Amino acid sequence: MNGIDLQIGGRIRRLRRQKSVSQAQLAEALEISASYLNLIEHNRRRITVPLLFRVAGYFGVEPGELAESDDARLAGDLMEMFGDDIFADADLTNTDIRDLATHHPAVGRAVLKLFDQMRHLQAPKSSAAELPVTGHNVVTEAVSDFLQENANYFPTLEAAAERVRQDIDNTSDSFEAGLKTYLFNVFGIETRLASLPNGVVRRLDESGRVLLVSDTLEPESELFTLAQHLALLVGDDPIGALIEQSTLPQPDSMGLARNVLASYLAAALVMPYEAFFRACRDTRYDIERLGRRFRASFEQVCHRMTTLQRPSMSGIPLHLVRTDIAGNISKRFSLSGIHIPRHSGACPRWNVYSAFLNPGQISVQLSQMPDGQRYFCIAKAITKGGYAHNAPRRHVAIGLGCHVTHAAGMIYADGVDLSAPAGAVPIGVGCRICPRRECGQRAHPPADHRFMTDDGQRMENLYMS
């Protein structure tokens, strides 16, 4: 049978790595050669329909889910990159960029990494740490890509969390008390509240036997920081193996990746996969209710929701974004299909920004991208900081959402007419690659447009002309 033109190699490779299966093992199970599987994983060979179904059956996913491509995300990142002023005279079209993402994805990713590195080197340096004083950093982007490539789901960390959580639950009816008991009984570490310098949430004393935790933390943050310290201890081997198997630029990104994966394991300890999945389903993703049940913060619950990607028990494919009041995006992840900017701020029409106008309240928005795809998005502005009188505060907004086809599964969609196109707010990825010329909130003209002024007419925004 003839092959079908699906660029799904990256998805197969990601699923294989999630299950810790070698190319040789998967090839044997699929009754094909390892060399042929290698070509498929690098999108150099088309996949037949029977083989597509065998792969889907092996991983326990629907063929339609497997056939979803990562090309759109890569194409979006490339369009954003080529929208930079240095490519102003390149005369590249959207078709050219999509062809690059579809037919030569490895080349596209290599160019993207090169551009990331260039921006990193060009960024102004601080005199102290000699690090870029910009929201973009090649290391953070590499770690973000690593999470995206793995669909923010790590089976080995989930398994480690389940083993430890079972031991903790067997020692106490209270998770917090059991966590402290486990730290003491297994690692000889006692925990105490203490007055620590601003910015320090926990610290081992000189003996290495007492874990000091800041007394300015909120209860949810105090519990999470204890869980994260335990995660670093019990997850040393699986976390190290994940980093070693990755394509992260070592050693620059090793420390950040280790911290991010420890936070993943900590969240799995606080919110065990199966219990949390069932609670999400039963409450229809009611974040505040789940936060109370699991003693977790709004952000922690949202982040854990994005990790529900176990093939036999998967949740709604979500996107997550965190931004500060200046528009700097510090977290971005998308399984919903929506594109979150890599190098710049997102669209000001997106409710993740307007959430700052009503802090503490959940904002709901039906958003429509220029390609016609619609997404259901919620956002909430929160204040982070210690309880002390003069403790510094940080203001961030958390955005969470899904494709409109999954929106009915979320309680926040109740009362929203999801089928009415007129009710959707038109948003874009970023001004430089957004074709909406009529938008009065433009900060830049489209990359392929050079505006002209007219002394006889003044537009609301010069970039609309």
PDB file of all heavy atoms in Angstrom, residues 426-451:
ATOM      1  N   PRO A 426     -10.455  38.279  17.930  1.00  0.00           N
ATOM      2  CA  PRO A 426      -9.364  38.032  16.976  1.00  0.00           C
ATOM      3  C   PRO A 426      -8.016  38.364  17.603  1.00  0.00           C
ATOM      4  O   PRO A 426      -7.781  39.491  18.037  1.00  0.00           O
ATOM      5  CB  PRO A 426      -9.680  38.978  15.814  1.00  0.00           C
ATOM      6  CG  PRO A 426     -10.516  40.065  16.413  1.00  0.00           C
ATOM      7  CD  PRO A 426     -11.275  39.445  17.553  1.00  0.00           C
ATOM      8  N   ILE A 427      -7.150  37.376  17.702  1.00  0.00           N
ATOM      9  CA  ILE A 427      -5.807  37.598  18.235  1.00  0.00           C
ATOM     10  C   ILE A 427      -4.796  37.086  17.225  1.00  0.00           C
ATOM     11  O   ILE A 427      -5.146  36.437  16.237  1.00  0.00           O
ATOM     12  CB  ILE A 427      -5.595  36.903  19.598  1.00  0.00           C
ATOM     13  CG1 ILE A 427      -5.616  35.376  19.439  1.00  0.00           C
ATOM     14  CG2 ILE A 427      -6.625  37.350  20.610  1.00  0.00           C
ATOM     15  CD1 ILE A 427      -5.200  34.629  20.681  1.00  0.00           C
ATOM     16  N   GLY A 428      -3.529  37.381  17.465  1.00  0.00           N
ATOM     17  CA  GLY A 428      -2.456  36.902  16.598  1.00  0.00           C
ATOM     18  C   GLY A 428      -1.331  36.354  17.440  1.00  0.00           C
ATOM     19  O   GLY A 428      -1.400  36.348  18.674  1.00  0.00           O
ATOM     20  N   VAL A 429      -0.297  35.886  16.784  1.00  0.00           N
ATOM     21  CA  VAL A 429       0.857  35.364  17.506  1.00  0.00           C
ATOM     22  C   VAL A 429       1.716  36.509  18.012  1.00  0.00           C
ATOM     23  O   VAL A 429       2.120  36.569  19.157  1.00  0.00           O
ATOM     24  CB  VAL A 429       1.681  34.427  16.601  1.00  0.00           C
ATOM     25  CG1 VAL A 429       2.948  33.966  17.314  1.00  0.00           C
ATOM     26  CG2 VAL A 429       0.848  33.230  16.181  1.00  0.00           C
ATOM     27  N   GLY A 430       2.013  37.448  17.150  1.00  0.00           N
ATOM     28  CA  GLY A 430       2.821  38.611  17.473  1.00  0.00           C
ATOM     29  C   GLY A 430       2.677  39.596  16.333  1.00  0.00           C
ATOM     30  O   GLY A 430       2.353  39.209  15.200  1.00  0.00           O
ATOM     31  N   CYS A 431       2.902  40.856  16.611  1.00  0.00           N
ATOM     32  CA  CYS A 431       2.630  41.885  15.604  1.00  0.00           C
ATOM     33  C   CYS A 431       3.392  41.660  14.299  1.00  0.00           C
ATOM     34  O   CYS A 431       2.858  41.901  13.212  1.00  0.00           O
ATOM     35  CB  CYS A 431       2.968  43.261  16.171  1.00  0.00           C
ATOM     36  SG  CYS A 431       1.811  43.824  17.450  1.00  0.00           S
ATOM     37  N   ARG A 432       4.626  41.209  14.382  1.00  0.00           N
ATOM     38  CA  ARG A 432       5.449  41.115  13.173  1.00  0.00           C
ATOM     39  C   ARG A 432       4.972  40.042  12.205  1.00  0.00           C
ATOM     40  O   ARG A 432       5.246  40.119  11.018  1.00  0.00           O
ATOM     41  CB  ARG A 432       6.906  40.865  13.543  1.00  0.00           C
ATOM     42  CG  ARG A 432       7.559  42.041  14.249  1.00  0.00           C
ATOM     43  CD  ARG A 432       9.078  41.875  14.333  1.00  0.00           C
ATOM     44  NE  ARG A 432       9.698  42.998  15.017  1.00  0.00           N
ATOM     45  CZ  ARG A 432       9.985  44.156  14.450  1.00  0.00           C
ATOM     46  NH1 ARG A 432       9.695  44.360  13.184  1.00  0.00           N
ATOM     47  NH2 ARG A 432      10.556  45.128  15.143  1.00  0.00           N
ATOM     48  N   ILE A 433       4.282  39.024  12.718  1.00  0.00           N
ATOM     49  CA  ILE A 433       3.817  37.969  11.808  1.00  0.00           C
ATOM     50  C   ILE A 433       2.300  37.889  11.761  1.00  0.00           C
ATOM     51  O   ILE A 433       1.752  36.969  11.166  1.00  0.00           O
ATOM     52  CB  ILE A 433       4.394  36.596  12.204  1.00  0.00           C
ATOM     53  CG1 ILE A 433       3.971  36.198  13.613  1.00  0.00           C
ATOM     54  CG2 ILE A 433       5.889  36.578  12.066  1.00  0.00           C
ATOM     55  CD1 ILE A 433       4.379  34.778  13.973  1.00  0.00           C
ATOM     56  N   CYS A 434       1.610  38.856  12.359  1.00  0.00           N
ATOM     57  CA  CYS A 434       0.152  38.872  12.330  1.00  0.00           C
ATOM     58  C   CYS A 434      -0.327  39.668  11.111  1.00  0.00           C
ATOM     59  O   CYS A 434       0.094  40.813  10.902  1.00  0.00           O
ATOM     60  CB  CYS A 434      -0.409  39.499  13.608  1.00  0.00           C
ATOM     61  SG  CYS A 434      -2.219  39.568  13.634  1.00  0.00           S
ATOM     62  N   PRO A 435      -1.209  39.100  10.292  1.00  0.00           N
ATOM     63  CA  PRO A 435      -1.666  39.807   9.089  1.00  0.00           C
ATOM     64  C   PRO A 435      -2.810  40.777   9.337  1.00  0.00           C
ATOM     65  O   PRO A 435      -3.269  41.420   8.395  1.00  0.00           O
ATOM     66  CB  PRO A 435      -2.128  38.645   8.200  1.00  0.00           C
ATOM     67  CG  PRO A 435      -2.638  37.625   9.161  1.00  0.00           C
ATOM     68  CD  PRO A 435      -1.746  37.728  10.367  1.00  0.00           C
ATOM     69  N   ARG A 436      -3.277  40.918  10.566  1.00  0.00           N
ATOM     70  CA  ARG A 436      -4.435  41.767  10.839  1.00  0.00           C
ATOM     71  C   ARG A 436      -4.041  43.244  10.777  1.00  0.00           C
ATOM     72  O   ARG A 436      -3.707  43.861  11.786  1.00  0.00           O
ATOM     73  CB  ARG A 436      -5.035  41.428  12.200  1.00  0.00           C
ATOM     74  CG  ARG A 436      -5.487  39.971  12.356  1.00  0.00           C
ATOM     75  CD  ARG A 436      -6.217  39.802  13.683  1.00  0.00           C
ATOM     76  NE  ARG A 436      -6.380  38.422  14.080  1.00  0.00           N
ATOM     77  CZ  ARG A 436      -7.340  37.604  13.669  1.00  0.00           C
ATOM     78  NH1 ARG A 436      -8.232  38.062  12.805  1.00  0.00           N
ATOM     79  NH2 ARG A 436      -7.417  36.360  14.110  1.00  0.00           N
ATOM     80  N   ARG A 437      -4.114  43.812   9.596  1.00  0.00           N
ATOM     81  CA  ARG A 437      -3.722  45.208   9.389  1.00  0.00           C
ATOM     82  C   ARG A 437      -4.644  46.173  10.123  1.00  0.00           C
ATOM     83  O   ARG A 437      -4.252  47.292  10.461  1.00  0.00           O
ATOM     84  CB  ARG A 437      -3.756  45.516   7.884  1.00  0.00           C
ATOM     85  CG  ARG A 437      -2.679  44.829   7.066  1.00  0.00           C
ATOM     86  CD  ARG A 437      -1.441  45.678   6.944  1.00  0.00           C
ATOM     87  NE  ARG A 437      -1.730  46.993   6.426  1.00  0.00           N
ATOM     88  CZ  ARG A 437      -1.910  47.275   5.130  1.00  0.00           C
ATOM     89  NH1 ARG A 437      -1.805  46.309   4.230  1.00  0.00           N
ATOM     90  NH2 ARG A 437      -2.149  48.500   4.738  1.00  0.00           N
ATOM     91  N   GLU A 438      -5.888  45.743  10.372  1.00  0.00           N
ATOM     92  CA  GLU A 438      -6.880  46.663  10.943  1.00  0.00           C
ATOM     93  C   GLU A 438      -6.752  46.817  12.451  1.00  0.00           C
ATOM     94  O   GLU A 438      -7.487  47.602  13.048  1.00  0.00           O
ATOM     95  CB  GLU A 438      -8.298  46.168  10.604  1.00  0.00           C
ATOM     96  CG  GLU A 438      -8.750  44.924  11.359  1.00  0.00           C
ATOM     97  CD  GLU A 438      -8.189  43.609  10.832  1.00  0.00           C
ATOM     98  OE1 GLU A 438      -7.378  43.665   9.870  1.00  0.00           O
ATOM     99  OE2 GLU A 438      -8.528  42.537  11.363  1.00  0.00           O
ATOM    100  N   CYS A 439      -5.841  46.097  13.087  1.00  0.00           N
ATOM    101  CA  CYS A 439      -5.725  46.117  14.537  1.00  0.00           C
ATOM    102  C   CYS A 439      -5.140  47.437  15.028  1.00  0.00           C
ATOM    103  O   CYS A 439      -4.049  47.843  14.625  1.00  0.00           O
ATOM    104  CB  CYS A 439      -4.854  44.953  15.006  1.00  0.00           C
ATOM    105  SG  CYS A 439      -4.591  44.933  16.797  1.00  0.00           S
ATOM    106  N   GLY A 440      -5.860  48.099  15.927  1.00  0.00           N
ATOM    107  CA  GLY A 440      -5.405  49.373  16.462  1.00  0.00           C
ATOM    108  C   GLY A 440      -4.397  49.225  17.586  1.00  0.00           C
ATOM    109  O   GLY A 440      -3.888  50.226  18.096  1.00  0.00           O
ATOM    110  N   GLN A 441      -4.084  47.988  17.982  1.00  0.00           N
ATOM    111  CA  GLN A 441      -3.149  47.765  19.081  1.00  0.00           C
ATOM    112  C   GLN A 441      -1.777  47.308  18.592  1.00  0.00           C
ATOM    113  O   GLN A 441      -0.965  46.825  19.377  1.00  0.00           O
ATOM    114  CB  GLN A 441      -3.732  46.718  20.051  1.00  0.00           C
ATOM    115  CG  GLN A 441      -4.953  47.225  20.792  1.00  0.00           C
ATOM    116  CD  GLN A 441      -5.488  46.192  21.763  1.00  0.00           C
ATOM    117  OE1 GLN A 441      -6.379  45.423  21.448  1.00  0.00           O
ATOM    118  NE2 GLN A 441      -4.943  46.182  22.960  1.00  0.00           N
ATOM    119  N   ARG A 442      -1.527  47.498  17.331  1.00  0.00           N
ATOM    120  CA  ARG A 442      -0.241  47.079  16.771  1.00  0.00           C
ATOM    121  C   ARG A 442       0.919  47.848  17.393  1.00  0.00           C
ATOM    122  O   ARG A 442       0.866  49.060  17.560  1.00  0.00           O
ATOM    123  CB  ARG A 442      -0.210  47.318  15.258  1.00  0.00           C
ATOM    124  CG  ARG A 442      -0.863  46.213  14.453  1.00  0.00           C
ATOM    125  CD  ARG A 442      -0.476  46.333  12.982  1.00  0.00           C
ATOM    126  NE  ARG A 442      -0.836  45.125  12.265  1.00  0.00           N
ATOM    127  CZ  ARG A 442      -0.105  44.020  12.265  1.00  0.00           C
ATOM    128  NH1 ARG A 442       1.018  43.991  12.956  1.00  0.00           N
ATOM    129  NH2 ARG A 442      -0.485  42.962  11.598  1.00  0.00           N
ATOM    130  N   ALA A 443       1.987  47.100  17.729  1.00  0.00           N
ATOM    131  CA  ALA A 443       3.217  47.729  18.200  1.00  0.00           C
ATOM    132  C   ALA A 443       4.249  47.787  17.086  1.00  0.00           C
ATOM    133  O   ALA A 443       5.203  48.555  17.161  1.00  0.00           O
ATOM    134  CB  ALA A 443       3.789  46.952  19.385  1.00  0.00           C
ATOM    135  N   HIS A 444       4.064  46.944  16.047  1.00  0.00           N
ATOM    136  CA  HIS A 444       4.961  46.896  14.898  1.00  0.00           C
ATOM    137  C   HIS A 444       4.130  46.613  13.647  1.00  0.00           C
ATOM    138  O   HIS A 444       3.069  45.997  13.729  1.00  0.00           O
ATOM    139  CB  HIS A 444       6.012  45.784  15.041  1.00  0.00           C
ATOM    140  CG  HIS A 444       6.791  45.854  16.309  1.00  0.00           C
ATOM    141  ND1 HIS A 444       7.863  46.701  16.494  1.00  0.00           N
ATOM    142  CD2 HIS A 444       6.659  45.167  17.479  1.00  0.00           C
ATOM    143  CE1 HIS A 444       8.353  46.536  17.710  1.00  0.00           C
ATOM    144  NE2 HIS A 444       7.644  45.614  18.327  1.00  0.00           N
ATOM    145  N   PRO A 445       4.623  47.015  12.480  1.00  0.00           N
ATOM    146  CA  PRO A 445       3.937  46.634  11.250  1.00  0.00           C
ATOM    147  C   PRO A 445       4.224  45.173  10.938  1.00  0.00           C
ATOM    148  O   PRO A 445       5.183  44.600  11.454  1.00  0.00           O
ATOM    149  CB  PRO A 445       4.584  47.559  10.199  1.00  0.00           C
ATOM    150  CG  PRO A 445       5.965  47.796  10.721  1.00  0.00           C
ATOM    151  CD  PRO A 445       5.828  47.837  12.223  1.00  0.00           C
ATOM    152  N   PRO A 446       3.407  44.518  10.100  1.00  0.00           N
ATOM    153  CA  PRO A 446       3.729  43.158   9.681  1.00  0.00           C
ATOM    154  C   PRO A 446       5.094  43.130   8.997  1.00  0.00           C
ATOM    155  O   PRO A 446       5.522  44.113   8.382  1.00  0.00           O
ATOM    156  CB  PRO A 446       2.609  42.811   8.699  1.00  0.00           C
ATOM    157  CG  PRO A 446       1.499  43.752   9.017  1.00  0.00           C
ATOM    158  CD  PRO A 446       2.153  45.007   9.504  1.00  0.00           C
ATOM    159  N   ALA A 447       5.792  42.013   9.110  1.00  0.00           N
ATOM    160  CA  ALA A 447       7.147  41.920   8.563  1.00  0.00           C
ATOM    161  C   ALA A 447       7.181  42.144   7.055  1.00  0.00           C
ATOM    162  O   ALA A 447       8.162  42.655   6.527  1.00  0.00           O
ATOM    163  CB  ALA A 447       7.735  40.560   8.905  1.00  0.00           C
ATOM    164  N   ASP A 448       6.095  41.781   6.352  1.00  0.00           N
ATOM    165  CA  ASP A 448       6.097  41.908   4.893  1.00  0.00           C
ATOM    166  C   ASP A 448       5.430  43.199   4.425  1.00  0.00           C
ATOM    167  O   ASP A 448       5.093  43.349   3.269  1.00  0.00           O
ATOM    168  CB  ASP A 448       5.389  40.710   4.258  1.00  0.00           C
ATOM    169  CG  ASP A 448       3.930  40.595   4.710  1.00  0.00           C
ATOM    170  OD1 ASP A 448       3.541  41.336   5.640  1.00  0.00           O
ATOM    171  OD2 ASP A 448       3.195  39.776   4.139  1.00  0.00           O
ATOM    172  N   HIS A 449       5.254  44.172   5.349  1.00  0.00           N
ATOM    173  CA  HIS A 449       4.542  45.391   4.991  1.00  0.00           C
ATOM    174  C   HIS A 449       5.359  46.628   5.372  1.00  0.00           C
ATOM    175  O   HIS A 449       5.925  46.683   6.452  1.00  0.00           O
ATOM    176  CB  HIS A 449       3.189  45.431   5.719  1.00  0.00           C
ATOM    177  CG  HIS A 449       2.453  46.726   5.550  1.00  0.00           C
ATOM    178  ND1 HIS A 449       1.938  47.128   4.345  1.00  0.00           N
ATOM    179  CD2 HIS A 449       2.163  47.707   6.447  1.00  0.00           C
ATOM    180  CE1 HIS A 449       1.360  48.307   4.501  1.00  0.00           C
ATOM    181  NE2 HIS A 449       1.471  48.679   5.765  1.00  0.00           N
ATOM    182  N   ARG A 450       5.441  47.559   4.478  1.00  0.00           N
ATOM    183  CA  ARG A 450       6.103  48.836   4.760  1.00  0.00           C
ATOM    184  C   ARG A 450       5.042  49.939   4.686  1.00  0.00           C
ATOM    185  O   ARG A 450       4.472  50.192   3.622  1.00  0.00           O
ATOM    186  CB  ARG A 450       7.218  49.117   3.741  1.00  0.00           C
ATOM    187  CG  ARG A 450       8.355  48.108   3.819  1.00  0.00           C
ATOM    188  CD  ARG A 450       9.075  48.199   5.154  1.00  0.00           C
ATOM    189  NE  ARG A 450      10.118  47.208   5.292  1.00  0.00           N
ATOM    190  CZ  ARG A 450       9.950  46.016   5.855  1.00  0.00           C
ATOM    191  NH1 ARG A 450       8.756  45.681   6.328  1.00  0.00           N
ATOM    192  NH2 ARG A 450      10.946  45.168   5.953  1.00  0.00           N
ATOM    193  N   PHE A 451       4.753  50.526   5.837  1.00  0.00           N
ATOM    194  CA  PHE A 451       3.659  51.498   5.871  1.00  0.00           C
ATOM    195  C   PHE A 451       4.071  52.821   5.219  1.00  0.00           C
ATOM    196  O   PHE A 451       5.260  53.171   5.159  1.00  0.00           O
ATOM    197  CB  PHE A 451       3.212  51.735   7.314  1.00  0.00           C
ATOM    198  CG  PHE A 451       4.211  52.446   8.175  1.00  0.00           C
ATOM    199  CD1 PHE A 451       4.209  53.827   8.274  1.00  0.00           C
ATOM    200  CD2 PHE A 451       5.167  51.732   8.896  1.00  0.00           C
ATOM    201  CE1 PHE A 451       5.123  54.491   9.073  1.00  0.00           C
ATOM    202  CE2 PHE A 451       6.080  52.390   9.698  1.00  0.00           C
ATOM    203  CZ  PHE A 451       6.062  53.767   9.786  1.00  0.00           C
TER     204      PHE A 451
END
